[in-house]
């Protein structure tokens, strides 16, 4: 995208972290803001910050098809087709993959995957119609995945599955859009550890998908993620700037920590050489040893 003034941005998970920081840049570039979040107080706070801008703030659970359908209709009515859609809302989870309950799978896949599915299936047709009607019209969809969509770190399998699916969906979206238009593009955001509210995701877990008492592996995963996320050096604002650089440059992959791509290379070499997946702790064997010991002890 080249021109942002007066254009419309739809941002899910706008109440915190990357969503809020992306909203701040979108506002500074003169965009109309559609702010969505499932957490009402965070959404109200964000909307208050952008008073003076054109804002449509809406409490939406991105996992719910009917709420996302109502959102798309409201956006179309108020602003017309959005130029920028940031399908970003998501939640973290951990634990050995067989220990996650059905409710865990439904919660995480609902927010992380189905939220993106709904954003893509509902907004892309509006964007394509706007592009068809005006050869100068431009749009861009950014889906938030994770480095966990490129790698498979152990003891956080449900999250990995959700994020690999978002990478797959986004790469396919890029290819499918290229078949039909040059005016609407896609990107996938793959952050590594960045301090945000992600480690407190349970705060917004719906009652009907309530969590069971956490298992030992889930508690260990939570402690490790807390430590990794809280010691992240980049800020959410840094990542938001990277998102807009990618929009400016029409770039598909957005990696917050390019150094983490070394692990992707190893994984792909495992595949190419048909060898077993490399130990993810090969570079830090003491962490792997500690994790194995903690999980194997009674
Ligand atoms: N922070 C990291 O280290 C990191 C790394 C990789 C990927 N991510 C991804 O980044 C995205 C944004 O997370 P963040 O780190 O900014 O965390 P965050 O918790 O600060 O922000 C996420 C926002 O999404 C909202 N949300 C959660 N479930 C929702 C739902 N069902 N419907 C609508 N809104 C919902 C939350 O209320 C919150 O405001 C997520 O998809 C996350 O998986 C984060």
């Amino acid at each position: 995208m080249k021109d942002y003034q007066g254009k419309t941005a739809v941002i899910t998970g706008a109440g915190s972290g990357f969503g809020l920081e992306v909203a701040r840049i979108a506002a500074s570039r003169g965009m109309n803001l559609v702010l969505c979040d499932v957490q009402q107080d965070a959404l109200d706070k964000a909307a208050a910050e952008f008073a003076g801008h054109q804002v449509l703030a809406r409490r939406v659970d991105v996992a719910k098809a009917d709420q996302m359908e109502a959102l798309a209709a409201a956006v179309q009515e108020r602003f017309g087709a959005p130029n920028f859609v940031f399908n970003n809302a998501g939640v973290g989870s951990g634990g050995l993959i067989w220990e996650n309950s059905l409710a865990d799978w439904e919660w995480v896949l609902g927010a992380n995957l189905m939220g993106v599915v709904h954003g893509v299936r509902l907004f892309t047709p509006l964007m394509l119609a706007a592009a068809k009607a005006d050869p100068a019209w431009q749009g861009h969809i950014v889906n938030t995945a994770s480095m966990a969509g490129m790698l498979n770190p152990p003891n956080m399998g449900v999250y990995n599955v959700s994020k690999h699916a978002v990478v797959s969906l986004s790469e396919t979206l890029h290819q499918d859009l290229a078949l039909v238009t040059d005016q609407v593009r896609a990107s996938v955001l793959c952050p590594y550890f960045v301090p945000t509210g992600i480690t407190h995701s349970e705060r917004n877990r719906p009652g009907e998908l309530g969590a069971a008492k956490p298992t030992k592996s889930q508690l260990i995963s939570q402690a490790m993620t807390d430590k990794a996320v809280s010691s992240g050096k980049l800020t959410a604002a840094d990542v938001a700037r990277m998102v807009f650089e990618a929009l400016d440059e029409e770039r598909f992959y957005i990696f917050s920590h390019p150094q983490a791509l070394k692990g992707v290379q190893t994984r792909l070499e495992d595949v190419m050489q048909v060898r077993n997946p490399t130990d993810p702790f090969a570079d830090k064997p003491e962490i792997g040893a500690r994790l194995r010991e903690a999980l194997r002890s009674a």
Side-chain angles (χ1 to χ4, degrees), residues 225-287:
T225 311
D226 282 354
K227 193 168 170 208
V229 167
S230 63
S231 47
K233 301 275 182 292
L234 287 185
T235 65
D238 294 327
V239 174
R241 275 191 291 278
M242 292 174 186
V243 169
F244 276 86
E245 279 163 20
L247 291 182
D248 294 341
E249 295 166 13
E250 298 180 340
R251 178 158 41 77
F252 177 78
Y253 291 110
I254 314 172
F255 293 116
S256 62
H257 295 67
Q259 63 275 29
L261 291 172
K262 195 166 164 288
V264 180
Q265 184 173 356
T266 303
R267 174 171 173 261
L268 296 178
E269 283 167 4
D270 292 342
V271 174
M272 294 306 294
Q273 294 174 32
V274 198
R275 71 186 179 208
N276 289 355
T278 296
D279 175 4
F281 302 109
D283 290 345
K284 293 175 193 142
E286 63 293 348
I287 297 182

Side-chain angles (χ1 to χ4, degrees), residues 12-20 36-39 42 60-63 87-92 107 110-112 144-148 159 163 189-201 203-204 206 229 236:
T12 70
S16 176
F18 303 141
L20 180 58
C36 314
D37 206 288
V38 76
Q39 191 181 333
V60 173
D61 180 343
V62 295
N87 291 310
N88 163 74
V91 294
W107 176 50
N112 294 7
T144 302
S146 168
M147 279 313 286
Y159 188 75
K163 295 302 188 177
L189 169 63
C190 297
Y192 204 48
F193 298 114
V194 180
T196 63
I198 194 77
T199 49
H200 307 293
S201 293
R203 69 194 186 279
N204 293 319
V229 167

